[in-house]
Amino acid sequence: MRILDRNIIKFKFSFLLSFVLLLSGEAFSEQQRVSLRWKPSQGAESYLIELSEDREFLRVHHFYKTKNFRYEFNSQDSKFYVRVVGINVDGGRGVSSPIISLADKFAAAPKVKVERPSTVVASSEELRISLGDPKTNGPSTNSPGSPNSQKQVPVSTYYRVNGGEWQRYDGSISLSQEGWNEVEFYSEDILGNKETPKKTKYLKDTTAPQVRLIGEKKGPSGLIEIKSGAELTLQVTEEGSGMEEITINLAARDGSGAEVNQTLSGEEAKKPIKISSSGIDGLSILRWEANDKAGNYIQSEIPMLIDAKHPACVFAPTEGKLREDGIYYLKENGLIAIRCEDPGTGSGLSKLEYKIGNGSIQPYQNPIGFNTGIHTVTVYTSDRVGNQAEFKIKVNAIKPDWQKTGSELQEK
């Protein structure tokens, strides 16, 4: 379900919330998880995910703070209402998102058996989880109707993280260690009845996926230069909660030509991603956005030069001209000059060579002279990314060596 919030005046925080039903639990147990997502908001440095027992949010029961755009709830939060509030760098609050009932979402979420704890939580500078209200039965297994729940005997809940010291639970637990965290907890009433400690695991993932372009180097322009049609390869690294999705766009900056749009998710997003540049020419931008299952998000772009055109050449006789029959006619001592250029958006000229007739190929350095007669000239040129072209012209070098004759004038 997607809900679009209105823009706010003080901070431009807007929220597009969606819920995804996810499955998790302890070894061979049945549990549910519900995932909340929202679009990043301009001006928001972090987000508060606030939970309340009443829809009007007269009192915030507890909250989670995160810099990401996704959070997963476990069954201990299923009775609450939730909203998201953007916080700017100075700590100012934006307008809250729409309020959503987690109870409704959990009611629709299926339960499945899983073989190991795999609770994934969103990343946060100060990640906090909740075991319930410490003023009631907390996380105790007392079921409704049991003697303890009827009497509402006051209880105290204790917990420890990763085998550390036991601490009294006051409403939330801070997880500071990156990676898997094992949380143990139990409740004890005022009569000394103590339940068997339970265990659960939470994955704190604060590292966004790493995306890099491999196998390409910058050219003389200072940009990555490739031949149009060549494949680019993106390598994605995600060692935390796993890849959720990556979206890739490649297009010419001026909007001309073809455009590539590609979206991959899950395991497919972790394999090397091949991107074709066919049909794209000129200064272009390769963009990507990627997020993992914990909500860590990254976006980046790389400018590059994609060259689809080969160099073009022109020929200029120094003493002569091009006749209508397509042959360059040269006077005595005439030369043919060759000038080749890559288009303005190209990678630049790399090679210019020529041969006369069946002779050897030589690098072009200066205008070419010819012996008397008709010749075929083949010109070879290429740019820095490998676009090649071949041009052929005919040259007729004429040497005026005829005898001057005539008759004498005679007087009558």
Side-chain angles (χ1 to χ4, degrees):
M1 182 178 77
R2 298 183 180 273
I3 303 175
L4 183 63
D5 192 17
R6 65 183 182 274
N7 292 330
I8 10 179
I9 298 175
K10 188 173 182 181
F11 309 117
K12 293 183 179 179
F13 299 163
S14 64
F15 295 92
L16 181 62
L17 301 182
S18 64
F19 274 93
V20 179
L21 305 182
L22 301 174
L23 311 174
S24 176
E26 298 179 1
F28 302 105
S29 66
E30 290 188 343
Q31 285 195 6
Q32 301 163 292
R33 288 211 317 271
V34 166
S35 178
L36 169 65
R37 298 183 186 180
W38 57 94
K39 281 192 173 182
S41 302
Q42 182 180 356
E45 191 269 341
S46 61
Y47 303 91
L48 284 183
I49 305 164
E50 298 182 326
L51 293 97
S52 175
E53 294 177 328
D54 57 277
R55 183 180 289 274
E56 290 73 26
F57 269 79
L58 300 177
R59 184 178 71 90
V60 173
H61 184 273
H62 63 280
F63 67 87
Y64 307 113
K65 183 180 180 182
T66 180
K67 289 188 176 181
N68 292 281
F69 321 118
R70 182 178 184 271
Y71 199 86
E72 291 182 2
F73 299 91
N74 291 281
S75 56
Q76 71 264 14
D77 288 326
S78 61
K79 67 178 181 179
F80 295 105
Y81 294 92
V82 63
R83 68 185 181 187
V84 179
V85 183
I87 306 297
N88 74 356
V89 67
D90 297 321
R93 292 170 60 100
V95 171
S96 303
S97 71
I99 296 170
I100 295 176
S101 169
L102 287 176
D104 294 343
K105 301 305 172 183
F106 273 95
K111 294 183 179 180
V112 297
K113 289 184 178 180
V114 295
E115 298 183 0
R116 66 178 179 87
S118 59
T119 301
V120 178
V121 292
S123 63
S124 172
E125 294 300 315
E126 183 185 8
L127 182 59
R128 303 186 72 84
I129 61 174
S130 173
L131 300 176
D133 191 342
K135 297 179 181 179
T136 62
N137 286 341
S140 172
T141 56
N142 295 334
S143 60
S146 66
N148 282 343
S149 64
Q150 291 291 333
K151 295 177 181 179
Q152 291 293 305
V153 177
V155 298
S156 296
T157 300
Y158 299 88
Y159 74 93
R160 65 178 180 179
V161 179
N162 298 322
E165 295 294 326
W166 288 99
Q167 303 178 57
R168 187 185 182 95
Y169 172 69
D170 62 1
S172 63
I173 300 172
S174 178
L175 300 180
S176 58
Q177 179 175 307
E178 181 83 358
W180 284 103
N181 291 266
E182 183 178 75
V183 179
E184 299 174 79
F185 56 92
Y186 68 89
S187 292
E188 182 177 0
D189 63 24
I190 59 174
L191 303 177
N193 296 310
K194 179 180 177 181
E195 68 177 348
T196 302
K198 300 179 180 65
K199 291 183 181 181
T200 186
K201 284 187 176 181
Y202 291 87
L203 176 64
K204 181 180 180 182
D205 179 4
T206 63
T207 304
Q210 302 300 303
V211 184
R212 64 188 184 97
L213 181 64
I214 61 175
E216 303 295 341
K217 296 181 180 179
K218 292 182 178 180
S221 65
L223 304 175
I224 291 174
E225 300 176 356
I226 64 169
K227 182 179 179 180
S228 181
E231 277 191 335
L232 296 164
T233 303
L234 284 178
Q235 179 67 60
V236 181
T237 303
E238 167 53 42
E239 298 178 349
S241 55
M243 276 297 295
E244 179 75 11
E245 187 176 83
I246 181 170
T247 299
I248 304 160
N249 174 267
L250 175 62
R253 190 172 183 178
D254 62 4
S256 63
E259 182 174 355
V260 176
N261 286 289
Q262 197 169 344
T263 299
L264 298 170
S265 58
E267 290 301 313
E268 290 298 315
K270 294 181 65 176
K271 300 176 182 178
I273 302 170
K274 302 293 185 180
I275 306 155
S276 174
S277 60
S278 180
I280 301 176
D281 181 51
L283 181 61
S284 303
I285 304 293
L286 174 64
R287 296 184 176 92
W288 63 77
E289 299 181 16
N291 59 281
D292 61 21
K293 292 181 178 179
N296 296 297
Y297 172 86
I298 186 173
Q299 63 178 349
S300 188
E301 63 181 39
I302 296 178
M304 57 179 55
L305 186 61
I306 301 179
D307 191 349
K309 300 182 178 73
H310 60 69
C313 297
V314 294
F315 306 88
T318 60
E319 295 290 339
K321 64 179 181 178
L322 175 64
R323 297 280 292 271
E324 292 179 357
D325 55 8
I327 300 175
Y328 288 88
Y329 285 86
L330 299 184
K331 295 181 180 179
E332 186 176 13
N333 301 321
L335 305 171
I336 290 286
I338 305 173
R339 185 174 72 251
C340 298
E341 294 181 349
D342 211 27
T345 57
S347 56
L349 191 67
S350 172
K351 182 177 68 174
L352 177 56
E353 298 175 323
Y354 75 95
K355 71 174 182 179
I356 301 175
N358 295 321
S360 61
I361 298 177
Q362 305 177 55
Y364 177 82
Q365 296 175 337
N366 300 299
I368 308 168
F370 298 86
N371 298 324
T372 303
I374 297 177
H375 307 273
T376 298
V377 182
T378 306
V379 175
Y380 307 93
T381 181
S382 63
D383 59 24
R384 291 192 179 102
V385 299
N387 291 303
Q388 299 179 350
E390 180 180 308
F391 304 91
K392 287 188 177 182
I393 62 171
K394 285 188 176 182
V395 176
N396 190 353
I398 300 174
K399 184 174 182 180
D401 56 357
W402 62 87
Q403 295 291 329
K404 295 180 180 179
T405 60
S407 59
E408 294 183 359
L409 294 176
Q410 297 180 0
E411 293 184 7
K412 292 185 179 179

